[in-house]
Amino acid sequence: MRSLLLRILREPLFTFAIIGGALFLAYAATRSHESEPVILQAQVRTALIASFETRTGRKATADDIARIERDYVTEELLLREALENGLHRSNPSIRGSLVEEMRIRITGPLPDPTDEQLVNHYSDNLDRYRSEPTVTFRQVYFAQRPADPAAILAQLRHGEPVTGQPFRHGLEFPQYGYSMLRGMLGQPVVEALSVAPLGQWIGPLESPYGWHYLLASERLPPVLLPFDAVRQQVENDYLVALIDAAVERHLDGLRQRHAVQIER
């Protein structure tokens, strides 16, 4: 979501999205919107036509303008109906869109950060820019729990060959990151591999796929990634920090205007 927000902020046409979002928010806060006339203001109409011409690369014809006006009125009427039915409160996607539109409106266009600002942000947040820990291991896999799991573990620890079953992701895992393993085998397997004695078989451990005997041979700790390798991430994080700071300042005023009650 944050990367999407940053792309929107950099988009030259984002002003037109703000106009629509502002109207949506204004009506959401109005209880008597049902009786209000639908007004397509001149500046909004001009912005919509300009957006159409930029998108299509041609001058809007009279038919195009009529369709733009008709679509605006249609959307406005449907919007009011949606608000009347409380969709802005009950639908998570609409609620999320409104929140993001409000963040854009509060923040406005962001300037391109300087190299000095990015390097300073990198230096102030070094823990964010480290590689994740990795583990190298191999496994013996069974789709069903073995009848005598302890006996198989004893065979493996004595160096005796044990024939398991093929596994869709393979049997050898060189320097796999913990997040990848978490998505593949689950957190309990990751936790076991993170503390297992190197060179000693453990198991069987259950995953969504079945049962695994594991032999970890190497664990590597996180290392700091060089600035040039994570520059884009640093820039995204820096801009998000600017957005969060602007929104938080705005929220300070909102908290003074609105009582907050949390029911438990």
Side-chain angles (χ1 to χ4, degrees):
M1 180 67 76
R2 285 183 167 183
S3 60
L4 175 62
L5 176 59
L6 293 174
R7 290 198 299 271
I8 292 173
L9 289 169
R10 297 301 184 89
E11 172 59 45
L13 298 179
F14 87 101
T15 304
F16 307 126
I18 294 177
I19 293 172
L23 288 171
F24 198 43
L25 288 166
Y27 281 116
T30 304
R31 297 180 179 179
S32 59
H33 58 265
E34 184 180 71
S35 60
E36 294 179 358
V38 174
I39 300 175
L40 174 53
Q41 296 179 342
Q43 64 267 32
V44 176
R45 179 178 179 274
T46 300
L48 292 172
I49 294 172
S51 177
F52 171 87
E53 292 177 344
T54 301
R55 188 174 64 255
T56 61
R58 63 177 178 82
K59 189 74 173 176
T61 66
D63 287 342
D64 293 329
I65 294 174
R67 185 169 57 255
I68 290 170
E69 294 171 345
R70 183 173 62 252
D71 289 347
Y72 178 90
V73 172
T74 298
E75 291 179 3
E76 187 69 17
L77 292 173
L78 291 176
L79 168 62
R80 295 185 181 194
E81 184 70 11
L83 294 173
E84 180 67 20
N85 285 276
L87 293 185
H88 59 294
R89 292 188 296 268
S90 60
N91 188 304
S93 63
I94 293 177
R95 184 182 179 91
S97 296
L98 284 173
V99 169
E100 289 306 317
E101 288 288 356
M102 194 68 246
R103 287 171 66 88
I104 293 172
R105 187 180 183 194
I106 291 170
T107 305
L110 295 175
D112 291 331
T114 65
D115 288 343
E116 181 181 2
Q117 289 171 324
L118 293 182
V119 171
N120 288 339
H121 188 79
Y122 171 81
S123 300
D124 292 340
N125 299 275
L126 292 179
D127 285 343
R128 292 187 182 182
Y129 308 114
R130 298 183 186 276
S131 66
E132 65 175 338
T134 65
V135 60
T136 297
F137 67 99
R138 59 192 177 99
Q139 71 165 336
V140 173
Y141 165 75
F142 296 93
Q144 304 295 326
R145 181 178 175 87
D148 192 347
I152 293 178
L153 181 60
Q155 286 180 265
L156 290 169
R157 287 185 172 179
H158 282 90
E160 300 174 13
V162 174
T163 301
Q165 297 171 297
F167 183 62
R168 65 176 64 187
H169 297 294
L171 301 177
E172 302 282 343
F173 298 83
Q175 295 185 2
Y176 265 59
Y178 284 14
S179 62
M180 182 180 296
L181 289 176
R182 186 178 301 111
M184 183 189 307
L185 301 177
Q187 181 63 17
V189 173
V190 173
E191 291 177 357
L193 282 170
S194 69
V195 297
L198 297 181
Q200 179 175 304
W201 285 96
I202 62 172
L205 298 171
E206 186 178 13
S207 81
Y209 299 105
W211 298 84
H212 310 258
Y213 292 90
L214 308 172
L215 178 67
S217 57
E218 179 189 55
R219 280 191 295 267
L220 297 177
V223 296
L224 180 64
L225 300 172
F227 173 77
D228 289 341
V230 292
R231 180 188 176 92
Q232 187 59 58
Q233 181 185 346
V234 173
E235 182 173 348
N236 288 345
D237 291 346
Y238 175 79
L239 293 175
V240 166
L242 291 183
I243 295 169
D244 289 345
V247 170
E248 188 60 32
R249 288 193 297 270
H250 189 80
L251 287 174
D252 287 340
L254 293 180
R255 292 187 184 103
Q256 295 177 12
R257 289 165 46 196
H258 302 280
V260 177
Q261 180 177 346
I262 300 176
E263 298 181 352
R264 292 182 173 87

